[in-house]
Structures are given as C-alpha cells and as structure tokens.
C-alpha cells in the first residue's frame, strides 16, 4: 500500500513539474491549453480519489467529514470538466456569463460544512440534529446570497462586468469565511488533525491567491490556460492528493480542547443572524434605485421565498430544540434523584464502616481473654475429673470455641478490602475443618463420617474465608447435637458446574434435641433468631458467587448445603472415584 502511495504521489509530482516546464517554455497554443486542462482534471480526480479510502475506513461524523471533502473536490472537478469542454472540445473561450460559475461557488459549501462538523472534537453536548439544521440554514444563506447578488446580472439584466465584479467579491468573502473556519479548527486541534487543517489552510491560501491573480489577469485579457498564472492553482490541486494520502486523522483526539457547548451556541447565533438578515436584504432590494425595477422585483421575490423556507426550517429546528430541552430536563431530574439516593447510600456506607471498625476493635479485644479461657478449659479436661465433672468441662470448652468462632466472624465482617482468590480444593478444605473440630466432637462423643469425591474440581476463592465457613457450619452442627451425641456426615459432590459441600446431622433416636432449631439467616435480615456467624458465612459465599441452604430431615436432623461454581473442567469419573471414603471418630482412620 505504501508503494502505491509513493507511485501515486510521484505521478502527481511529475504532472505538476511537466505543467511548470510547459508554462515556462511553450508559447500560447491549443496544445498548451489542452495539456493544462488535462493535467488539472487529472489532479482533481486524483485529489477526490485520495479521500475516498478515508471515508470508507471511517464511521459516523468522521465518514461524513471525508464525504463532504470529497464532494467539494468533486464539484471543483465538475467545474474544471466544463471549462475543459469549452476550451478543448468546443475550442472557444469560456463565456463571461458562464452558468457553471455557480458550481465553482458551491464547491466551497461542502468544505465549509465539513469543517463545521469539527470531527477532531469528541461528540459535544449540543444536539446533532439541531446543529445540522443550523448548518443547513447557513448553507442556504450562502446560496441565497449568490442568487441575490450574482444571478440578476446574468439572467435578469445581462452585464458581464457587473457579473464578474459581484461574483469575485462574493467568492472572496466565501473563501475568507472558509479560511477563518480552518484557522479556528487548527487552533482547537492537536496531532494528526492539526497537521490536516494546516495542509488544508496552506492549499486554500494558495488557491485563493492564484484565483485572485487569475481573475485580475482575465480582466486585463492576459490570462490563458497553461500560463504562469496557473502554476499556483495547479500546485493547490496537487496538494489535495498529498493531504489525502498522507493524513492519518481518522478518529477524534481525546485531548482536544473542550469548548463544545459554546461552539454550538455560536453556530446557533450565526444561523439566527442569517435568518434575521433577510429583512435587511429585502429593504436594500427595494431601496436600490440604481438597478432596473425588474431586478428589484426579482430580489424581493427571492427574499420572500428564502424567508419562507428558512422560516419553516427555524420552526422545525425549534421543535427539535424543545424536545431536546424536555429530555434534558427529565434527565436532570433523574440525575438529581439518583444523586440523592447515592448520598443516602454513602451515608449508610459510612455508618456501616464505623460499625465495622467498632466491631473489629471489640472483637480483637475479646480475642485475648477467649484464648485464655480456651487454654484453661483444655487444661481442665486434661486433669483427672469425675464422671459428672468431665461433661461439664467439655461443655465449657465447646461454648468457648463457639464464642471464638463468633469473634472470628466479627473480625471477618469488619474487613473492608476483598481478599485475593485462588483455586482451592474443597476436599482438602473440608478435611481441615473436620480435623480442627476434632477436639470438640471427640469430647462430645459425636461420630463424624466423611465421603469426599476425588474427582471434585477446584473452586476460585479465599481459602481462609471458605475454611471459616466450614468451621462455622461444623460448630453449629456440633452445637445442635450437644451432649446427646449423634452422627455428623460431611461429604462433597460435583453437580454440573457446581461443587457442593454437605454437612448433615443425625441425632440419636432418644436425643431430646429433636425439636431444636438451628440458627440460620432467614429472608428477613433483622430476624432475631439470625446467627451473626452464619450471616457472615452467607456474605462470604455471596462474594464467592455461591449460596448456602438448609433442609430439615426426618428424625430432627439438619442438612446444610454449600454450593460454589467450579473454575476448571474435572477429569472423567472412574470407578474408583465412586468408592466412599469413611472417616469415623471410632475407630479413627
């Protein structure tokens, strides 16, 4: 692609050099005129074609920008083709009252609309549809000026001198407006866009200067196609291809100057000034007694027609603006309501953060005496106690451990920052929980049986938090069975995309705790029977995208079920993986 661009630019540069040599060395002749017109048509075709890939690669406003640039250059090419048709095909000079002059005048209109889009800026707050109507009003105003000032000297009252004078003056005003727009875009742009506007500005200055000098030469009848007056004009045409092939401005710059809303307001003001200028032009048309009555009638009728169409456009624009303002008001109300809700949530979060800090500090203070109580209870169990004293000492240790578990839950609840997560083997986690609670269930003479799935996939989580969940569930189950004994079954399963840990209690047949209630978080967060420890477990599982549920079983038993999403595909199940692994307290295995 780069090689094609280089060859393309070389062909353009060669054509420009050949025309310069011909203008310097060859006398005025039909051959020189034909060669000059052919080179100019080639350069304009090349310039229009160089912008087409940019339009095809872009989207939205950027595509519209390059399309308008291509359209402006195409109008210029069309005018040059008409000029070539007269000089080469018809072999006569272009008439002074040339109908194709309107094409040359209008070729700047798409270019002005293109820079009016300001594609180098991010999409602004001003409505696109309202902004498009403003640009349409301004473009219609320029066309109205051409018909008002130039056309009457061409069709109403033919006067070549007045026609050329008014055409050149209006065309110069249009070129100045275009150059000012390029300067404004150059100031507010950066990077590739800044280079693009600088190139367009240099090309436009060269073209404006050459057209002014060429018009001066035409007035003195010293101009002919292929003369030295064409060299700056052809150089400007060649610059179009260089700009189209070398530019990389295909997206808005994020660091561009922010003045979007003010820009939209000024465009709206200019469009309204253009509309309100119509009565002034009507007054001027009636007051200009130096022109024939037919021209005054023509200008007045034209002004009335333009006022009607531009008035309709103003009404449509105002309707769109009213709708935009209504939507903005609704959006502002919604934003205000959302802001009030957010403020309430921030206040609630600050309260919860303060409570969490207080709870964390209190839990740390309670941890030291609880640890001492736990040590003393274990020392008491290691001494020689009577048959009546040993169960009481075991119950003391059980409640101390339960209190320590609750304190650990308080500390976990008070943490503000989320813990890092890694793949975890739930089988290992469940075995660890059973081993850590072994002193409790051995002292209470509770039997613990395990059945783990060897093919269980890993889950993503924090091992400390998930171990805390397992310990809390085990502690609750042991507390439910109490001194009356029973069986606790711990198992793991693999169900689809979920890893499951189940802890079930089976009280002894004569156990009076059949009607006992396990403390578990209900649907209502303020339920008095909620256990803070299990609430903390519920919060941990929510953070791990898991869930916990309970099920009452016949005989007073409870089934607690923890479900967590797996993180990797598990291997195929084998026959060995279905064999249960039993871990009983008596005998220990």
């Amino acid at each position: 692609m780069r090689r094609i661009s280089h060859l393309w630019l070389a062909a353009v540069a060669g054509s420009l050099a050949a025309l310069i040599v011909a203008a310097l060395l060859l006398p005025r002749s039909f051959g020189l005129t034909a060669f000059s017109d052919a080179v100019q048509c080639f350069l304009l075709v090349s310039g229009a074609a160089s912008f087409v890939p940019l339009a095809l690669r872009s989207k939205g406003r950027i595509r519209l920008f390059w399309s308008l640039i291509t359209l402006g250059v195409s109008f210029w090419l069309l005018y040059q083709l008409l000029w070539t048709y007269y000089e080469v095909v018809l072999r006569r000079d272009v008439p002074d009252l040339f109908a194709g002059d309107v094409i040359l005048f209008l070729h700047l209109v798409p270019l002005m609309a293109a820079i009016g889009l300001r594609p180098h800026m991010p999409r602004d707050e001003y409505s696109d549809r309202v902004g498009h109507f403003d640009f349409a009003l301004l473009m219609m105003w320029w066309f109205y000026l051409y018909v008002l000032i130039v056309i009457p000297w061409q069709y109403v009252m033919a006067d070549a001198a007045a026609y050329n004078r008014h055409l050149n003056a209006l065309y110069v005003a249009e070129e100045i407006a275009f150059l000012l727009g390029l300067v404004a875009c150059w100031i507010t742009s950066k990077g590739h866009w800044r280079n693009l506007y600088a190139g367009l500005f240099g090309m436009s200055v060269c073209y404006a200067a050459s057209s002014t000098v060429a018009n001066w030469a035409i007035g003195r009848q010293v101009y002919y196609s292929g003369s030295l007056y064409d060299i700056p004009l052809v150089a400007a045409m060649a610059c179009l291809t260089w700009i189209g092939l070398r530019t990389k401005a295909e997206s808005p710059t994020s660091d561009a100057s922010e003045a979007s809303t003010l820009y939209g307001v000024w465009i709206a003001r200019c469009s309204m000034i253009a509309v309100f200028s119509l009565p002034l032009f009507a007054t001027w048309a009636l007051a200009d007694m130096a022109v024939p009555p037919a021209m005054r009638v023509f200008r007045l009728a034209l002004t009335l027609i333009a006022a009607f169409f531009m008035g309709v456009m103003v009404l449509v624009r105002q309707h769109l603006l009213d709708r935009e303002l209504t939507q903005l008001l609704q959006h502002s109300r919604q934003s205000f309501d959302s802001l009030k809700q957010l403020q309430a949530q921030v206040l609630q979060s600050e309260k919860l953060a303060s409570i969490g800090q207080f709870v964390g500090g209190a839990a740390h203070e309670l941890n030291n005496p609880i640890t001492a109580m736990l040590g003393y209870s274990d020392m008491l169990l290691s001494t020689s106690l009577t048959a009546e004293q040993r169960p009481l000492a075991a119950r003391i240790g059980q409640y101390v451990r339960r209190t320590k578990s609750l304190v650990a839950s308080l500390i976990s609840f008070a943490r503000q920052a989320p813990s890092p997560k890694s793949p975890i083997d739930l089988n290992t986690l469940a075995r660890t929980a059973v081993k850590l609670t072994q002193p409790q269930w051995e002292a209470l003479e509770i039997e613990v049986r395990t059945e783990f799935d060897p093919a269980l996939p890993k889950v993503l989580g924090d091992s400390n938090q998930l171990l805390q969940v397992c310990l809390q569930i085990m502690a609750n189950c042991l507390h439910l069975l109490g001194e009356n004994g029973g069986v606790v079954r711990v198992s793991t399963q693999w169900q689809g995309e979920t890893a499951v840990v189940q802890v079930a209690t089976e009280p002894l047949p004569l156990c009076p705790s059949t009607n006992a209630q396990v403390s578990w978080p209900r649907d209502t967060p303020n339920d008095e029977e909620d256990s803070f420890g299990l609430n903390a477990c519920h919060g941990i599982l929510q953070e791990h995208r898991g869930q916990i549920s309970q099920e009452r079983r016949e005989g007073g038993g409870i089934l607690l079920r923890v479900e967590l999403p797996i993180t990797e595909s598990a291997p195929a199940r084998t026959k060995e993986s279905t064999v249960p692994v039993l871990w009983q307290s008596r005998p220990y295995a």
Side-chain angles (χ1 to χ4, degrees):
M1 187 64 184
R2 180 174 296 182
R3 182 180 179 182
I4 296 176
S5 299
H6 290 167
L7 293 176
W8 194 341
L9 289 175
V12 170
S15 300
L16 176 61
L19 183 61
I20 294 174
V21 172
L24 292 173
L25 301 180
L26 298 179
R28 181 175 183 177
S29 62
F30 172 76
L32 178 61
T33 298
F35 178 72
S36 174
D37 290 340
V39 168
Q40 293 184 42
C41 289
F42 166 74
L43 293 178
L44 289 176
V45 169
S46 174
S50 65
F51 293 113
V52 173
L54 294 171
L56 295 178
R57 291 197 302 264
S58 306
K59 296 180 180 180
R61 285 188 307 147
I62 313 297
R63 172 172 290 182
L64 180 59
F65 170 79
W66 292 117
S67 300
L68 289 173
I69 294 290
T70 306
L71 180 61
V73 178
S74 300
F75 278 175
W76 193 359
L77 171 62
L78 179 59
Y79 176 79
Q80 184 61 40
L81 289 174
L82 292 176
W83 187 284
T84 304
Y85 173 76
Y86 271 93
E87 290 191 331
V88 177
V89 179
L90 302 180
R91 294 198 177 192
R92 60 188 180 90
D93 293 335
V94 177
D96 292 332
L97 299 177
F98 184 37
D101 287 336
V102 65
I103 300 176
L104 182 64
F105 177 82
L106 290 179
H107 96 276
L108 286 179
V109 174
L111 300 179
M112 296 173 68
I115 64 172
L117 291 174
R118 296 202 313 166
H120 61 281
M121 300 290 291
R123 189 174 296 275
D124 53 21
E125 301 172 6
Y126 195 67
S127 170
D128 285 342
R129 288 174 294 180
V130 177
H132 293 165
F133 266 90
D134 291 331
F135 285 121
L137 284 170
L138 292 175
M139 297 305 105
M140 182 178 288
W141 183 75
W142 278 107
F143 184 74
Y144 161 77
L145 286 182
Y146 182 85
V147 179
L148 179 73
I149 298 175
V150 179
I151 291 297
W153 302 107
Q154 185 176 7
Y155 296 105
V156 180
M157 180 180 177
D159 187 339
Y163 170 82
N164 290 324
R165 184 172 64 254
H166 287 85
L167 173 62
N168 294 335
L170 187 60
Y171 192 52
V172 169
E174 188 183 26
E175 288 177 332
I176 292 175
F178 179 61
L179 291 174
L180 291 177
L182 286 175
V183 171
C185 290
W186 180 81
I187 293 175
T188 58
S189 62
K190 294 182 180 180
H192 296 299
W193 286 104
R194 195 180 185 90
N195 297 332
L196 169 65
Y197 291 128
L200 289 176
F201 180 80
M203 182 274 300
S204 301
V205 169
C206 183
Y207 169 72
S210 63
S211 62
T212 302
V213 174
N215 290 331
W216 175 85
I218 291 174
R220 284 160 178 74
Q221 298 183 353
V222 295
Y223 173 82
Y224 59 91
S225 295
S227 63
L228 296 177
Y229 298 104
D230 281 345
I231 294 178
L233 178 63
V234 175
M237 295 177 178
C239 286
L240 289 173
T241 303
W242 184 85
I243 294 172
L245 294 179
R246 305 298 293 179
T247 187
K248 297 180 180 179
E250 299 177 10
S251 61
T253 53
S254 58
D255 57 346
S257 303
E258 294 294 338
S260 56
T261 304
L262 183 61
Y263 172 78
V265 171
W266 274 108
I267 291 294
R269 289 175 179 175
C270 292
S271 64
M272 291 299 100
I273 292 174
V275 173
F276 287 122
S277 67
L278 295 181
L280 299 178
F281 284 113
T283 303
W284 169 71
L286 291 175
D288 190 6
M289 297 299 177
V291 297
M295 186 174 295
R296 292 201 300 270
V297 172
F298 173 82
R299 288 175 171 174
L300 182 61
L302 174 67
T303 304
L304 292 176
I305 295 173
F308 173 77
F309 284 104
M310 295 180 73
V312 171
M313 294 181 65
V314 169
L315 289 177
V316 176
R317 174 191 176 278
Q318 190 62 37
H319 172 71
L320 292 176
L321 183 59
D322 291 341
R323 190 167 63 179
E324 292 288 337
L325 292 176
T326 302
Q327 294 177 356
L328 179 61
L329 179 60
Q330 294 176 354
H331 180 70
S332 300
R333 289 175 177 173
Q334 294 175 358
S335 299
F336 181 72
D337 294 339
S338 301
L339 183 61
K340 290 198 300 184
Q341 295 177 1
L342 180 60
Q343 185 178 10
Q345 292 176 1
V346 169
L347 292 176
Q348 186 67 19
S349 300
E350 291 178 352
K351 292 179 181 179
L352 292 177
S354 301
I355 294 174
Q357 292 178 357
F358 173 76
V359 168
H364 279 292
E365 293 296 329
L366 290 174
N367 213 19
N368 293 330
I370 290 176
T371 302
M373 293 168 62
L374 184 61
Y376 288 134
S377 65
D378 291 341
M379 290 176 61
L380 183 61
L381 282 174
S382 63
T383 60
S384 57
L385 299 175
T386 64
E388 297 178 353
Q389 294 173 341
R390 181 167 294 276
L392 296 176
R395 181 173 295 182
I396 292 174
Q398 176 187 355
Y399 281 104
V400 170
R401 285 183 172 86
R402 179 171 174 81
T403 305
K404 185 176 179 63
S405 178
L406 290 176
V407 170
S409 300
L410 286 172
I411 296 175
S412 176
F413 176 78
R415 291 178 180 174
Q416 299 296 325
S419 303
K421 296 178 176 60
S422 59
I424 298 172
D425 185 3
L426 285 181
N427 290 335
T428 303
L429 208 66
R431 288 192 184 96
T432 304
V434 171
K435 288 184 179 180
L436 290 177
T437 56
Q438 182 176 352
Q440 301 179 51
W441 48 263
E442 282 186 344
L444 297 173
E445 298 184 352
I446 295 174
E447 183 179 4
V448 177
R449 298 187 177 187
T450 61
E451 184 177 349
F452 300 136
D453 185 355
L456 186 70
K458 293 183 178 181
V459 300
L460 187 66
D462 180 9
S463 58
N464 293 327
Q465 290 184 345
L466 294 180
L467 178 60
Q468 177 187 337
V469 171
C470 295
L471 290 174
Q472 188 65 50
I473 293 175
M474 285 292 297
N476 274 39
C477 291
L478 295 176
H479 175 69
L480 176 65
L481 296 177
E483 299 177 0
N484 301 291
V487 178
V488 176
R489 297 184 181 272
V490 182
S491 61
T492 59
Q493 297 177 7
W494 174 30
Q495 297 180 353
E497 299 296 324
T498 305
V500 181
V501 178
Q502 294 187 148
V503 181
T505 62
E506 298 178 1
L508 295 179
L510 300 178
C511 177
S513 64
T514 301
N515 298 324
Q517 298 289 333
V518 61
S519 54
W520 186 253
R522 309 285 183 91
D523 294 335
T524 308
N526 294 326
D527 197 307
E528 294 181 356
E529 296 183 3
D530 284 351
S531 168
F532 182 83
L534 289 180
N535 274 327
C537 294
H538 184 69
I540 291 174
L541 291 174
Q542 278 187 335
E543 184 181 347
H544 288 75
R545 296 186 295 113
Q547 60 181 0
I548 189 168
S549 60
Q550 74 164 355
E551 177 186 347
R552 296 194 64 86
R553 310 180 74 177
E554 295 182 0
I558 295 295
L559 173 64
L560 302 179
R561 180 183 176 92
V562 175
E563 299 179 3
L564 291 167
I566 63 176
T567 59
E568 61 180 17
S569 299
R573 295 178 180 268
T574 60
K575 294 183 179 180
E576 289 75 7
S577 64
T578 61
V579 178
V581 179
L582 300 182
W583 181 8
Q584 302 179 2
S585 60
R586 289 170 180 76
Y588 184 85

